Amino acid sequence: MNSYHSTTYQIVFGTKYRRKVMTRKNRLKLFKFIYGICKNYECHVYRINGVSDHIHIVLSIPPKVAISALIKEIKSSSSGFIRKERLFKNWMGWQKGYFLGSYAAEARDNLVAYVKKQETHHGEMNELEKESYHDELVRLLGEHHIPWDEVYLE
């Protein structure tokens, strides 16, 4: 017997202290590394993208995988990879927490399109920041009716 699932998740987390250290030059290497971790957990990855201070991962996670364990593995292993490969100057690590949102199958295409356009959304393509990571995170928390406290939004 097989297990069937269709929940799409968006995982978002930022750099420690929201430092804008993830340069465009090496982001793709980081995204490929994270993709490999997700595939090892048998996840279906729809999109990974990000900007200088945070990343988004859109994926489906099999029911047998503990989401918190997956996120812990992504953050700890990718941080080690960044240090080992010296991908980003002044790398201090990831923020302590993360955002996790779940989406219906009907919302997946729009979510993937949104994540695909992160550089434009945050103004990295034209130097004018349109929405900060902090404001985006607050908006996502509100859209998902997740209570939050400013103290924990590093």
Side-chain angles (χ1 to χ4, degrees):
M1 185 169 148
N2 288 324
S3 295
Y4 300 98
H5 61 96
S6 69
T7 305
T8 300
Y9 295 99
Q10 177 183 204
I11 302 167
V12 182
F13 53 87
T15 60
K16 195 167 193 169
Y17 308 120
R18 292 194 197 108
R19 296 185 67 196
K20 296 179 183 251
V21 296
M22 292 192 300
T23 55
R24 287 185 80 211
K25 178 183 173 190
N26 287 325
R27 278 187 217 149
L28 187 56
K29 289 179 186 176
L30 171 63
F31 300 159
K32 286 180 179 180
F33 182 82
I34 292 172
Y35 176 86
I37 293 170
C38 295
K39 292 308 283 182
N40 286 340
Y41 277 79
E42 300 178 21
C43 298
H44 182 88
V45 179
Y46 296 100
R47 190 70 180 190
I48 300 173
N49 200 9
V51 291
S52 60
D53 62 354
H54 71 282
I55 67 170
H56 294 251
I57 306 167
V58 180
L59 73 172
S60 291
I61 303 169
K64 67 181 179 180
V65 173
I67 297 170
S68 60
L70 172 65
I71 296 171
K72 181 180 179 180
E73 179 67 22
I74 290 170
K75 289 173 72 175
S76 64
S77 293
S78 65
S79 189
F81 176 73
I82 291 166
R83 283 187 176 91
K84 179 182 174 202
E85 298 295 318
R86 297 185 174 138
L87 293 184
F88 308 120
K89 187 177 180 181
N90 300 319
W91 177 254
M92 295 182 69
W94 297 114
Q95 72 179 88
K96 289 182 182 178
Y98 56 87
F99 166 81
L100 175 69
S102 61
Y103 297 81
E106 301 82 37
R108 186 181 302 134
D109 289 343
N110 287 338
L111 178 60
V112 169
Y114 169 77
V115 170
K116 186 176 182 179
K117 296 177 182 176
Q118 281 295 291
E119 288 180 329
T120 303
H121 178 78
H122 291 287
E124 285 196 356
M125 298 303 287
N126 61 12
E127 301 290 322
L128 298 174
E129 190 169 304
K130 295 180 180 177
E131 183 178 43
S132 71
Y133 169 49
H134 176 272
D135 292 344
E136 179 181 46
L137 184 55
V138 168
R139 181 178 51 75
L140 289 170
L141 291 167
E143 287 174 3
H144 288 268
H145 306 286
I146 299 172
W148 56 276
D149 186 328
E150 187 70 35
V151 172
Y152 301 108
L153 297 182
E154 294 179 26

